[in-house]
Amino acid sequence: MSAIIHGAGAATALSTFNPVDSKKLAAPCRTNLPARSKRYIVAGSDASKSFGSGLRASHSQKLIANAVATKTDTSATTGTGHELLLFEALQEGLEEEMDRDPHVCVMGEDVGHYGGSYKVTKGLADKFGDLRVLDTPICENAFTGMGIGAAMTGLRPVIEGMNMGFLLLAFNQISNNCGMLHYTSGGQFTIPVVIRGPGGVGRQLGAEHSQRLESYFQSIPGIQMVACSTPYNAKGLMKAAIRSENPVILFEHVLLYNLKEKIPDEEYICNLEEAEMVRPGEHITILTYSRMRYHVMQAAKTLVNKGYDPEVIDIRSLKPFDLYTIGNSVKKTHRVLIVEECMRTGGIGASLTAAINENFHDYLDAPVMCLSSQDVPTPYAGTLEEWTVVQPAQIVTAVEQLCQ
Amino acid sequence: MAIWFARSRNIVSSLRQNLGLSKILFKRDYSHRPVFKNSQLSSTVFLGPVKSLRHESTAVEKQPDLVQLSDEEDAQLELDFPGGKVGYTSEMKFIPESSSRRIPCYRVLDEDGRIIPDSDFIPVSEKLAVRMYEQMATLQVMDHIFYEAQRQGRISFYLTSVGEEAINIASAAALSSDDVVLPQYREPGVLLWRGFTLEEFANQCFGNKADYGKGRQMPIHYGSNRHNYFTVSSPIATQLPQAAGVGYSLKMEKKNACAVTFIGDGGTSEGDFHAGLNFAAVMEAPVVFICRNNGWAISTHISEQFRSDGIVVKGQAYGIRSIRVDGNDALAVYSAVRSAREMAVTEQRPVLIEAMTYRVGHHSTSDDSTKYRAADEIQYWKMSRNPVNRFRKWVEDNGWWSEEDESKLRSNTRKQLLQAIQAAEKWEKQPLIELFNDVYDVKPKNLEEQELGLKGLVEKRPQDYPPGFHV
């Protein structure tokens, strides 16, 4: 399972990096990155050199290694980098951006001295003060609106929803104002907010705390949506989202906060519009994001044992879809399976199915299959909850069915 | 002001008698707020810079509580709860749903345009007064002509501010140009004051190529970052939490400016009203909330909108200083907004102003208000309680304005407006590419594809599209 692809950049610092320990460092084409004196690795979009196995040289945007899959490799090979949990990675990204730009501020419920319900903002209030890391009263519409107003006057707020489901209360501000005001003002006002929070189905949290908001938000024009799944991309996406001039919604998952991984010491950011190649393969393309990535990888182990070679892509960018990466994969394998946590009706998978069918119809040997959660409110009982989401066994069965 | 205090003391004593509240102990602690020196002001004495304007604060300081501290009570009879000490009583008494008398409204000019003796107000120079009057009259003419243009089918929609000219102009005159304004939609006068030209108004209404909004919004949804006026957004009250955010931003950057936001009486029923005020209070953000209580929310009269004594009483519920002002009195509005602004900036606190007025026009061009209110009620407010006429009388009495100034202003403005409308109408509209710009900072791939697709369609069959439509 050599999910290592190394993108080459022009920087000299690359030489110190062992090719096996390959973390992708992207220069996002849309944000301005200041030149930094400290070691900062940038993978240029037109790099001619490439080494490592299985690299598609034509792909102008570099692909990355999956840290979780190659954990044993990375920790053995390089001395640089430090290990941390996903929520710490988010915090590190946030703290670095707040150090870098005094306009970045955080607002949400219990984000200050309590450190956030998932400890993503731990220690920040002590460091930056309780005005810059603001504890708000309980009114999601209010603090989202507040963030929008502050952004229109020059700040860069990071708005935390204690649970993504609560942001349904902020839907009016997000849809009617956040997504729209840049457009309706004729470009006069920008809204560089980041709206983030944990969502998804957890462990017996009940229906109201297991919402998948990405399916409700995906239609809103003017916003970008990304979902992180590893400490590496969590930190990278957090930083990229803060630097973006557009409003970005960063979806985290309740069950992924304690994932551990080694990430580079150097500064890096991840491209907001890019998908992540988790495991290259030949037989079938499996598209997934967030927690379902881990179910897919678990199923992949079984599939490999059975002789299949699945290509796993973590789409990461939920709006817009990285159809370039996805398309290249479809053109190679001709079979697509989407595994998502959204509900069957109107979820990210539904949109992705439509997009793939529209764009890559000729390359498909089989209909696009989409495994989603059941169209039910998430029940509390553990056994019932388990079967509302897609399990690895179902993924294995689906792959076998598609590859017949 | 002084008269009000004498009366309010009477309210309290009558309350105490009627409701037996003498045993209830309510200690309101203002000590954590900066205490301002006592300074009595009268209209002739006050000539100093605005910073010495403190009479609002001292007036508030001296305001007696709803329930008086009773001398017989032992100050030790207090309970500790989160939130501080609170006295207790064994007498079960409910606070009444309304006080026996409504909060009085602050006014300076009477209906004949004469200053009420012993009024507190900030004097207005001739230059400022004349400019204020000119702008109020201009706003009137602008509303009239654009409304007619809509009726002729030249623009699709319009919304007048007839009857609310004093609120529009006097509040704008009281602010600095650095103060960020978040309007509802009935405040074009604020933008007019700040220098938006009649041509720029016309361009937005026609959605032509010169419109700053690039033709993306309905008429009257003006916005200009140069003038610190946020683009109007149709959903009601969404600007209130945003104003708290702007106040927060200004507070963080320690700017000598505040956020000023407007809302109507109907908008105060929205959840965002509660949210915005509560947040601004907790955040100690410099925001001035101005509520234009004009009696009607489309066809909903205020008696069907809330059961409280208007909006001013809600301020205290959030811990916000508030005042009720006669919104048709330009001088009163000017003084109140100016004082509120100073308080907001120097004391870093929100302030709520309820401006009482009447919506003389229809809600918008999509409404016919004679269907739900009496025509003679509208006439009464239009003729006898007209804020523009009232201010004009005062300005004329001072010898600063004359009949020929009036006719010259009105005819010039009318001519300029008609020309602006003609020019804006003829000006070409936005090209097709503007449909896809500014959704994001940089156009993403899917929008590029959609644009190309649409362009191809138009170029292939130009006869299906109106003349003058171009990509």
Side-chain angles (χ1 to χ4, degrees):
Chain A
M1 183 143 75
S2 58
I4 303 166
I5 292 158
H6 194 51
T12 52
L14 251 162
S15 53
T16 60
F17 248 57
N18 189 303
V20 173
D21 172 25
S22 51
K23 298 291 193 287
K24 181 267 197 126
L25 305 151
C29 39
R30 290 171 194 181
T31 57
N32 296 320
L33 300 171
R36 312 272 300 197
S37 52
K38 66 177 182 170
R39 223 161 45 134
Y40 183 42
I41 299 181
V42 162
S45 55
D46 53 6
S48 48
K49 267 202 305 174
S50 57
F51 48 93
S53 55
L55 178 69
R56 289 156 209 65
S58 59
H59 187 22
S60 62
Q61 287 172 322
K62 299 300 163 281
L63 304 167
I64 62 165
N66 168 29
V68 172
T70 59
K71 209 160 39 164
T72 44
D73 301 290
T74 58
S75 53
T77 49
T78 168
T80 58
H82 54 285
E83 212 171 50
L84 41 54
L85 305 175
L86 196 145
F87 76 88
E88 290 170 341
L90 287 166
Q91 189 217 23
E92 212 175 78
L94 189 47
E95 195 173 338
E96 280 176 19
E97 288 305 302
M98 288 180 81
D99 274 328
R100 177 181 169 265
D101 183 352
H103 292 102
V104 181
C105 54
V106 182
M107 51 188 71
E109 295 156 13
D110 298 310
V111 297
H113 295 282
Y114 188 71
S117 4
Y118 292 93
K119 299 288 172 268
V120 173
T121 52
K122 189 170 170 194
L124 296 181
D126 293 326
K127 185 171 173 187
F128 297 105
D130 54 15
L131 189 61
R132 211 169 151 198
V133 182
L134 190 66
D135 272 328
T136 61
I138 306 176
C139 190
E140 283 72 14
N141 210 22
F143 61 74
T144 308
M146 193 176 138
I148 293 168
M152 285 164 85
T153 7
L155 294 186
R156 304 186 83 92
V158 177
I159 300 166
E160 171 172 315
M162 192 182 276
N163 185 291
M164 270 291 172
F166 306 159
L167 292 183
L168 286 169
L169 288 150
F171 212 115
N172 185 19
Q173 288 285 354
I174 294 173
S175 171
N176 274 327
N177 289 331
C178 182
M180 271 190 207
L181 277 166
H182 182 66
Y183 186 77
T184 58
S185 68
Q188 293 184 82
F189 296 100
T190 55
I191 309 178
V193 297
V194 176
I195 300 173
R196 51 159 290 270
V201 177
R203 296 246 183 276
Q204 297 191 275
L205 295 177
E208 298 93 344
H209 293 75
S210 310
Q211 296 267 33
R212 281 126 287 169
L213 271 268
E214 56 268 24
S215 49
Y216 305 143
F217 284 150
Q218 62 178 322
S219 281
I220 302 175
I223 58 161
Q224 276 187 264
M225 304 200 304
V226 286
C228 62
S229 48
T230 66
Y232 178 83
N233 62 34
K235 180 177 173 185
L237 289 173
M238 169 74 94
K239 289 169 74 87
I242 293 174
R243 293 187 195 189
S244 168
E245 289 302 313
N246 298 313
V248 179
I249 306 186
L250 170 58
F251 290 91
E252 301 153 14
H253 198 285
V254 279
L255 295 181
L256 298 185
Y257 279 127
N258 288 324
L259 275 183
K260 197 185 266 197
E261 186 186 351
K262 193 172 226 170
I263 65 169
D265 290 327
E266 305 77 33
E267 189 177 15
Y268 70 93
I269 71 181
C270 289
N271 194 323
L272 285 177
E273 294 92 15
E274 213 175 83
E276 187 180 319
M277 176 66 71
V278 183
R279 180 196 188 280
E282 296 290 327
H283 291 161
I284 180 172
T285 300
I286 307 182
L287 302 172
T288 182
Y289 68 94
S290 194
R291 181 190 168 210
M292 287 295 118
R293 166 186 175 142
Y294 297 95
H295 281 205
V296 168
M297 291 312 287
Q298 205 179 326
K301 280 204 201 110
T302 317
L303 286 167
V304 166
N305 288 338
K306 289 193 173 184
Y308 294 96
D309 188 16
E311 177 155 294
V312 180
I313 295 179
D314 181 341
I315 60 173
R316 248 172 40 185
S317 172
L318 304 178
K319 185 181 169 85
F321 293 131
D322 180 5
L323 287 177
Y324 188 87
T325 311
I326 295 171
N328 281 341
S329 179
V330 173
K331 287 176 190 174
K332 188 173 65 159
T333 65
H334 311 297
R335 287 179 167 78
V336 181
L337 172 67
I338 302 171
V339 180
E340 57 155 358
E341 206 174 317
C342 280
M343 286 180 261
R344 182 132 203 85
T345 308
I348 296 287
S351 304
L352 193 50
T353 307
I356 293 173
N357 276 325
E358 248 173 45
N359 288 298
F360 308 117
H361 184 258
D362 285 337
Y363 296 96
L364 290 170
D365 284 346
V368 175
M369 197 186 248
C370 180
L371 295 178
S372 333
S373 300
Q374 311 289 353
D375 274 325
V376 298
T378 312
Y380 168 77
T383 43
L384 295 179
E385 184 185 65
E386 204 181 310
W387 286 101
T388 54
V389 298
V390 178
Q391 296 298 330
Q394 292 168 284
I395 301 172
V396 172
T397 316
V399 170
E400 286 174 339
Q401 204 178 335
L402 270 178
C403 287
Q404 263 163 12
Chain B
M1 224 25 115
I3 307 163
W4 173 35
F5 284 131
R7 288 215 187 121
S8 53
R9 272 194 277 277
N10 289 335
I11 301 171
V12 177
S13 47
S14 65
L15 261 176
R16 288 171 73 190
Q17 283 155 16
N18 294 343
L19 303 168
L21 295 170
S22 49
K23 294 208 192 95
I24 298 178
L25 202 118
F26 266 80
K27 267 193 350 193
R28 224 149 295 212
D29 186 24
Y30 284 116
S31 57
H32 62 288
R33 288 265 155 235
V35 178
F36 281 66
K37 285 202 280 286
N38 194 351
S39 53
Q40 282 296 83
L41 292 159
S42 75
S43 50
T44 49
V45 163
F46 178 79
L47 292 168
V50 177
K51 281 205 187 62
S52 60
L53 178 72
R54 292 183 186 143
H55 65 297
E56 289 296 332
S57 300
T58 54
V60 171
E61 290 286 325
K62 280 155 60 175
Q63 179 188 351
D65 292 335
L66 177 63
V67 181
Q68 287 281 32
L69 189 74
S70 172
D71 293 328
E72 306 101 54
E73 287 308 312
D74 188 357
Q76 306 244 348
L77 291 174
E78 282 184 334
L79 296 173
D80 235 325
F81 277 114
K85 288 192 185 300
V86 64
Y88 70 88
T89 172
S90 302
E91 208 177 334
M92 180 175 70
K93 289 293 170 195
F94 285 77
I95 301 174
E97 67 276 12
S98 60
S99 75
S100 56
R101 201 159 165 279
R102 296 188 62 184
I103 304 281
C105 123
Y106 165 59
R107 73 156 30 177
V108 171
L109 285 177
D110 63 17
E111 288 303 333
D112 296 316
R114 275 188 280 273
I115 295 194
I116 298 169
D118 293 327
S119 313
D120 271 338
F121 72 102
I122 302 172
V124 167
S125 67
E126 171 181 351
K127 189 157 163 244
L128 183 61
V130 167
R131 178 153 193 246
M132 276 167 68
Y133 178 72
E134 283 177 339
Q135 297 274 289
M136 283 165 75
T138 306
L139 179 59
Q140 258 189 346
V141 178
M142 184 175 100
D143 270 347
H144 176 72
I145 302 231
F146 276 128
Y147 184 86
E148 292 303 314
Q150 194 278 342
R151 283 287 179 247
Q152 291 167 8
R154 293 162 89 178
I155 54 177
S156 64
F157 176 83
Y158 194 71
L159 200 153
T160 62
S161 319
V162 181
E164 301 182 43
E165 293 87 356
I167 297 177
N168 268 249
I169 301 295
S171 63
L175 303 171
S176 90
S177 57
D178 287 329
D179 294 328
V180 181
V181 174
L182 293 92
Q184 173 69 64
Y185 46 59
R186 221 181 280 280
E187 303 89 17
V190 178
L191 199 50
L192 183 67
W193 178 271
R194 287 186 167 192
F196 215 58
T197 64
L198 298 173
E199 289 75 25
E200 286 168 323
F201 279 112
N203 287 334
Q204 199 284 330
C205 287
F206 282 91
N208 60 27
K209 210 165 175 187
D211 169 27
Y212 299 139
K214 298 186 190 162
R216 293 176 185 144
Q217 259 292 17
M218 289 171 75
I220 70 100
H221 287 66
Y222 313 110
S224 173
N225 54 358
R226 269 190 311 126
H227 299 100
N228 278 327
Y229 189 93
F230 275 23
T231 305
V232 174
S233 172
S234 314
I236 302 282
T238 52
Q239 70 277 9
L240 297 178
Q242 291 172 9
V246 172
Y248 168 76
S249 169
L250 295 171
K251 188 185 174 82
M252 279 257 272
E253 306 198 305
K254 297 199 175 57
K255 285 210 180 123
N256 177 8
C258 67
V260 179
T261 183
F262 292 83
I263 186 71
D265 43 282
T268 63
S269 296
E270 277 281 354
D272 274 348
F273 172 79
H274 161 82
L277 263 68
N278 192 35
F279 268 59
V282 170
M283 240 52 80
E284 296 176 8
V287 187
V288 178
F289 294 96
I290 302 179
C291 175
R292 297 174 291 98
N293 184 347
N294 62 18
W296 293 93
I298 309 191
S299 68
T300 307
H301 187 250
I302 45 175
S303 57
E304 295 169 320
Q305 193 71 248
F306 40 69
R307 283 296 142 89
S308 54
D309 170 20
I311 287 96
V312 65
V313 292
K314 297 185 183 178
Q316 202 169 49
Y318 298 105
I320 292 181
R321 204 169 279 178
S322 21
I323 186 172
R324 170 174 276 162
V325 75
D326 177 354
N328 287 355
D329 177 343
L331 289 183
V333 173
Y334 178 81
S335 293
V337 175
R338 186 93 183 263
S339 315
R341 191 239 174 229
E342 290 313 313
M343 268 190 265
V345 177
T346 53
E347 293 178 61
Q348 293 286 294
R349 58 159 71 243
V351 183
L352 172 66
I353 298 177
E354 181 185 10
M356 312 293 285
T357 180
Y358 188 83
R359 189 196 80 207
V360 171
H362 306 303
H363 165 72
S364 70
T365 50
S366 314
D367 174 45
D368 174 14
S369 58
T370 54
K371 291 226 157 68
Y372 49 79
R373 54 184 188 176
D376 47 1
E377 177 189 309
I378 306 172
Q379 266 303 94
Y380 165 70
W381 282 91
K382 188 170 181 176
M383 308 314 285
S384 326
R385 305 285 295 272
N386 188 317
V388 184
N389 292 348
R390 194 160 145 202
F391 193 59
R392 179 182 166 182
K393 285 189 196 133
W394 182 71
V395 176
E396 278 182 342
D397 283 346
N398 281 333
W400 298 336
W401 193 254
S402 68
E403 189 57 54
E404 48 175 297
D405 288 329
E406 177 79 17
S407 50
K408 207 163 49 154
L409 173 75
R410 289 206 180 242
S411 70
N412 281 346
T413 310
R414 190 188 154 80
K415 218 182 332 185
Q416 197 185 346
L417 264 164
L418 290 172
Q419 279 173 354
I421 289 178
Q422 274 186 340
E425 207 170 24
K426 289 207 190 69
W427 209 314
E428 58 176 345
K429 297 282 192 271
Q430 303 286 344
L432 191 62
I433 55 165
E434 284 300 340
L435 184 61
F436 298 98
N437 282 343
D438 296 321
V439 183
Y440 295 95
D441 56 346
V442 173
K443 215 181 300 180
K445 199 119 198 309
N446 64 325
L447 287 183
E448 269 175 10
E449 280 171 17
Q450 290 175 20
E451 185 184 350
L452 279 171
L454 193 53
K455 239 183 176 180
L457 213 70
V458 173
E459 277 161 2
K460 223 195 300 190
R461 298 184 60 84
Q463 65 273 20
D464 287 345
Y465 295 88
F469 180 76
H470 53 279
V471 293

